[in-house]
Amino acid sequence: MDFPWIKAAIVGIVAGFLSGLLGIGGGVIKVPGLVLFVGLNQYAAAATSVATNVTSSAAALSTLAGNSNPSWPTAALVFVGAAVGAWAGARWMHRVPEHLLAGTFAVVVGVAAIRMWF
């Protein structure tokens, strides 16, 4: 089967748009899109999402920095914590069964959605 280039591009466009618009991590859109729409497994989808984060964040920041005045000290602290956490999470990913990764992802997104709504 050929790789679904168009579907992957659509996932990227939707994730990038919502990331820039809402400030969400694009992985909230990219991971389910890559699993359900493109056909990657949970591990490959997570790795692919991480591989695209720097460029999509830089693209959004290039526009937002002039208009929204990011808190650079907060960003620096979050960056350090996120870098350490991402490294640790990536080291542990393949020790967790794929169905538990998918379930944990769904729970985290669901809890975040409920907390944001109320």
Side-chain angles (χ1 to χ4, degrees):
M1 180 165 96
D2 291 338
F3 184 78
W5 299 99
I6 300 297
K7 290 180 179 181
I10 291 169
V11 169
I13 291 167
V14 170
F17 178 78
L18 292 174
S19 179
L21 179 68
L22 303 174
I24 62 172
V28 171
I29 305 300
K30 285 185 260 182
V31 172
L34 291 170
V35 170
L36 301 173
F37 197 50
V38 176
L40 299 182
N41 66 42
Q42 190 74 26
Y43 300 115
T48 302
S49 175
V50 169
T52 65
N53 285 344
V54 171
T55 54
S56 59
S57 294
L61 181 60
S62 69
T63 300
L64 289 172
N67 300 321
S68 299
N69 194 20
S71 170
W72 293 111
T74 302
L77 292 170
V78 170
F79 173 79
V80 171
V84 171
W87 177 84
R91 300 253 324 158
W92 277 85
M93 179 196 302
H94 286 287
R95 296 179 184 177
V96 179
E98 188 174 0
H99 71 280
L100 286 179
L101 285 177
T104 302
F105 184 89
V107 168
V108 168
V109 170
V111 169
I114 291 168
R115 293 285 309 201
M116 299 271 312
W117 189 267
F118 295 104

